[in-house]
Amino acid sequence: MNIHPWTRRAALLLAALTVLLSGCTTYVTTQVTAFSDWTSNDAARTFAFTRPPGQQNNLELSTYERIVAVELAVHAFREVDSAQAHYLVGLSYGIRSDMVTVAQPVYYNPWPGPYWGRPFDPWGPWGPWGPYQSAYVNQTYPIFTHLLGVRITERATGKEVYNVTARNSGEESSLVRAMPYLARSALADFPLGNGVVHTVKLPLDKNGSAANEMAAAGAVPAAAPAAASGAKVAE
């Protein structure tokens, strides 16, 4: 898909503003796009992960598979040996960095603090007769775009039945720290209809990370069905 340069610039600018507000941000916002031909029932939800040639011993991929497996379990998927699996699940992922420049206003104060008898100007950028003149200084920020794709196919026929992509942007430079949010968002409302695009907002936990990051260490939460309970979906 070709993205118009102005569309890409607008997206990067929005991401830059997100970085500027990150000090008070309590949600991670992810765009999710799904293509679906899903007609299965819970009884058939056995799966195994499949990997491309040369990736059988990829530790990074193994880590992300554990995170995705936790989210699949929320929707009654059960991981089994590939020979017994009804579905094969393949992952794709990546991270890209960009630099975004944002013009920041700098106000000129013609009435220095001592004039008011205080070490600061109580009017802020507004003087007693209106706003001060402002200038602009360019500030450059790094923006990181994180991506996760989850593709589900029937093992017996090779037919693709579900393909979902989750993408978010922000100041987080680590894909492994972003992955729990991507996985949970991608499967937050499984199964989505064909061609559905929506936005998922997930709350940060008290440590600034998703609860299922523990899956990266091989642990499985005791109450897996609650993993997606904090998701907010905006169509």
Side-chain angles (χ1 to χ4, degrees):
M1 179 185 296
N2 292 325
I3 301 177
H4 192 279
W6 285 107
T7 303
R8 184 168 180 272
R9 290 176 187 175
L12 291 174
L13 179 59
L14 179 61
L17 293 176
T18 300
V19 170
L20 293 177
L21 298 174
S22 61
C24 57
T25 297
T26 57
Y27 287 90
V28 175
T29 302
T30 302
Q31 185 185 65
V32 177
T33 304
F35 297 94
S36 175
D37 187 20
W38 189 262
T39 57
S40 180
N41 54 53
D42 288 352
R45 292 188 181 184
T46 57
F47 79 97
F49 286 105
T50 181
R51 298 184 179 187
Q55 299 297 314
Q56 299 306 311
N57 298 312
N58 187 320
L59 287 176
E60 181 181 14
L61 180 53
S62 295
T63 300
Y64 300 155
E65 286 175 348
R66 294 307 98 214
I67 294 173
V68 172
V70 171
E71 300 305 327
L72 286 171
V74 173
H75 302 284
F77 280 88
R78 182 168 56 92
E79 188 172 4
V80 298
D81 184 79
S82 59
Q84 283 76 47
H86 188 81
Y87 297 106
L88 296 178
V89 177
L91 305 184
S92 57
Y93 53 89
I95 184 171
R96 187 187 69 200
S97 64
D98 290 283
M99 299 299 294
V100 176
T101 300
V102 179
Q104 299 279 359
V106 177
Y107 293 95
Y108 165 65
N109 184 353
W111 305 96
Y115 176 86
W116 302 104
R118 299 184 182 184
F120 62 90
D121 180 359
W123 295 95
W126 289 77
W129 299 285
Y132 302 148
Q133 280 188 315
S134 62
Y136 288 86
V137 175
N138 288 333
Q139 298 277 350
T140 301
Y141 301 91
I143 297 294
F144 299 91
T145 300
H146 320 100
L147 176 71
L148 170 67
V150 180
R151 182 174 183 259
I152 303 177
T153 59
E154 292 180 344
R155 182 182 64 84
T157 65
K159 177 185 177 183
E160 182 179 87
V161 293
Y162 202 70
N163 194 329
V164 62
T165 302
R167 182 193 311 268
N168 60 37
S169 298
E171 63 180 341
E172 178 55 68
S173 61
S174 169
L175 182 59
V176 71
R177 285 198 292 264
M179 188 57 65
Y181 297 103
L182 293 170
R184 193 173 304 175
S185 298
L187 298 166
D189 198 23
F190 179 88
L192 294 169
N194 188 48
V196 169
V197 179
H198 71 182
T199 299
V200 177
K201 293 176 64 178
L202 289 173
L204 289 166
D205 72 4
K206 63 182 179 180
N207 297 317
S209 59
N212 72 348
E213 271 192 303
M214 62 193 302
V220 177
S229 60
K232 295 185 177 181
V233 177
E235 299 294 341

